[in-house]
Amino acid sequence: MTGLFDAEPVRAQDAPRRRILHLDMDAFFAAVELLRRPELRGKPVVIGGSGDPTRRGVVSTATYEARAFGVRSGMPLRTAAKLCPACVFLPVDFAEYRRYSAIFKQAMRAVSPVLEDRGIDEAFLDITDVRGEPEEIAASLKERILAETGLTCSIGIAPNKLLAKMASELDKPDGLTVLGPGDLERRIWPLGVRKVPGIGPKTEARLAALGIRTIGELAAVPMERLQAAFGRAYGRFLHEASHGIDEEPLVTHWEPKQRSRETTFQEDVGDRSEIARTLAALAREVAAELAEEGCVARSVGIKVRFADFETHTREKKLAAPTAAEAEIRKAAFECLGRIRLDRRVRLLGVRAGDLSRIG
DNA sequence: TCTGGGGTCCTACAGCCA
DNA sequence: TCTGTGGCTGTAGGACCC
């Protein structure tokens, strides 16, 4: 007879199987804009930057009608306007999107308190201890969010965050996907490696050069080979992700690590005094935000992007943590002095790092 | 010709020190 | 005393995410 205290320590594979839900709002910015501009429904609409396609900026979200013209997220507004001259361009209104974001996250918290906020339009929810079938939990959550916001979302449920997020992508918009045993091989392995969150365009290209295009092909590569090619940590990640392995817990609280402000000039700038004025203004904004949040910074850095898109950063460790505008500005100018300004500048940024709370 | 802004995490490397 | 090694810290840049 084995007593409680004789039991072996719990290993990962013996741990209670988690149920993680990932929720992603459908074309979020565009959907919110259509709520207050119903006359635009059915029309190609692009949200991005200042809403003026003659100015510098990129597409944040486009409606499905605009996507039919080839408009994609991240595309310059000017390019989008060329592809779709009939598109309606709207500015980004973060305050309004944050309002809707709070509503759908509140609905999620009513289901389970264990929520990981992943930005303005998505979140993870641990529903391991929530009674009911996953499909029912997700369906009633979708119903509640639609009733309270008028917006649809896509939900994925799986034993971990990685698979839950991939699941929510499988059926969009207004989708619901539950991944169970056997679904890894059947539904995930045929997908391209780019569908793994954490594999971007660079890694996709490097994997393609090795003849690896699908997640299943990636899963067939020994971990040692991936580590030799991509480094210890990332090689291990690639191996585990392709096998659907992810033990990461939900992060329900975190402290900011850095605050930054950056700006892209409408026209590339060569004038030193304009660069100096802009750097001072950015330093002021960063300092104000630190003060507002009750934080001090231990390091200050700057970013300079030249007209040819070459980007340089410089960083300085401070003698003592501070939120004082004068000290942040002084450090930023010291950093600027270490960069040779031999070309016109496209972008300038100021960053405060190694943050800690006062008191 | 074009490529935003605000973040996080990781890696590589140089200098310092034991 | 010289040299090698390995850890730590600071710095720069890359990749990725929403």
Side-chain angles (χ1 to χ4, degrees):
Chain A
M1 183 85 183
T2 307
L4 248 187
F5 299 100
D6 305 318
E8 283 185 24
V10 174
R11 296 185 302 269
Q13 62 265 35
D14 303 326
R17 193 176 165 82
R18 295 190 297 163
R19 289 198 302 186
I20 308 300
L21 178 154
H22 180 258
L23 185 149
D24 197 286
M25 299 300 289
D26 299 323
F28 187 50
F29 295 3
V32 171
E33 294 297 344
L34 291 180
L35 283 178
R36 51 181 176 182
R37 293 181 170 83
E39 71 278 9
L40 293 180
R41 240 168 239 290
K43 293 188 177 155
V45 177
V46 175
I47 290 101
S50 60
D52 179 352
T54 67
R55 293 173 69 85
R56 281 180 165 169
V58 297
V59 175
S60 288
T61 317
T63 59
Y64 291 96
E65 291 80 4
R67 292 178 198 187
F69 286 87
V71 175
R72 296 285 178 271
S73 297
M75 174 182 282
L77 292 178
R78 286 171 187 168
T79 309
K82 274 181 201 151
L83 286 171
C84 177
C87 272
V88 177
F89 288 84
L90 298 174
V92 179
D93 181 357
F94 275 105
E96 184 71 352
Y97 312 147
R98 267 195 290 270
R99 208 167 66 75
Y100 280 91
S101 186
I103 297 171
F104 86 74
K105 282 167 197 164
Q106 193 49 47
M108 292 180 76
R109 284 199 175 90
V111 174
S112 163
V114 187
L115 178 139
E116 177 175 330
D117 195 324
R118 293 292 296 209
I120 202 158
D121 72 339
E122 62 179 87
F124 289 104
L125 197 64
D126 191 327
I127 56 167
T128 306
D129 296 328
V130 177
R131 240 179 298 171
E133 291 302 310
E135 288 87 351
E136 291 166 12
I137 295 167
S140 85
L141 179 57
K142 280 164 69 77
E143 219 169 280
R144 177 170 173 172
I145 290 173
L146 180 62
E148 293 184 3
T149 65
L151 301 171
T152 63
C153 61
S154 297
I155 287 179
I157 297 177
N160 59 49
K161 291 200 288 184
L162 179 92
L163 290 174
K165 181 159 171 62
M166 293 174 76
S168 72
E169 296 286 328
L170 286 175
D171 181 19
K172 263 176 176 270
D174 202 15
L176 169 49
T177 303
V178 179
L179 291 183
D183 284 334
L184 177 73
E185 295 81 350
R186 198 169 56 85
R187 304 196 63 182
I188 301 297
W189 279 4
L191 302 175
V193 292
R194 189 72 166 77
K195 295 289 181 185
V196 175
I199 296 182
K202 302 284 182 182
T203 306
E204 180 186 35
R206 286 180 66 190
L207 287 169
L210 299 171
I212 301 162
R213 288 193 165 72
T214 68
I215 300 171
E217 287 167 356
L218 182 60
V221 182
M223 182 164 79
E224 295 71 29
R225 215 184 124 205
L226 293 172
Q227 288 183 312
F230 293 92
R232 259 173 66 103
Y234 196 55
R236 185 188 181 91
F237 163 77
L238 290 175
H239 176 78
E240 292 187 343
S242 67
H243 286 272
I245 299 167
D246 170 35
E247 300 292 336
E248 287 302 305
L250 270 67
V251 178
T252 55
H253 176 80
W254 74 90
E255 294 289 328
K257 296 185 170 67
Q258 62 173 58
R259 281 290 175 261
S260 64
R261 280 286 181 282
E262 61 184 58
T263 186
T264 298
F265 296 108
Q266 276 308 311
E267 303 284 340
D268 301 336
V269 170
D271 176 30
R272 298 289 180 113
S273 63
E274 185 172 354
I275 291 169
R277 272 199 309 277
T278 306
L279 195 72
L282 291 168
R284 189 184 320 129
E285 287 178 31
V286 168
E289 188 161 351
L290 292 184
E292 199 176 298
E293 295 186 349
C295 287
V296 287
R298 189 65 204 277
S299 68
V300 169
I302 68 158
K303 175 153 102 180
V304 175
R305 176 169 290 154
F306 291 104
D308 59 6
F309 229 70
E310 197 175 284
T311 306
H312 294 268
T313 61
R314 290 294 180 273
E315 198 180 332
K316 181 180 163 43
K317 202 90 184 160
L318 303 175
T322 185
E325 182 192 336
E327 290 185 51
I328 289 168
R329 186 179 57 231
K330 182 164 169 268
F333 273 92
E334 278 182 40
C335 290
L336 184 66
R338 283 156 42 202
I339 295 181
R340 205 150 60 96
L341 297 175
D342 53 359
R343 282 159 287 172
R344 295 170 85 80
V345 172
R346 175 189 178 87
L347 170 150
L348 209 52
V350 172
R351 189 182 71 84
D354 293 337
L355 300 190
S356 52
R357 293 254 177 222
I358 302 167

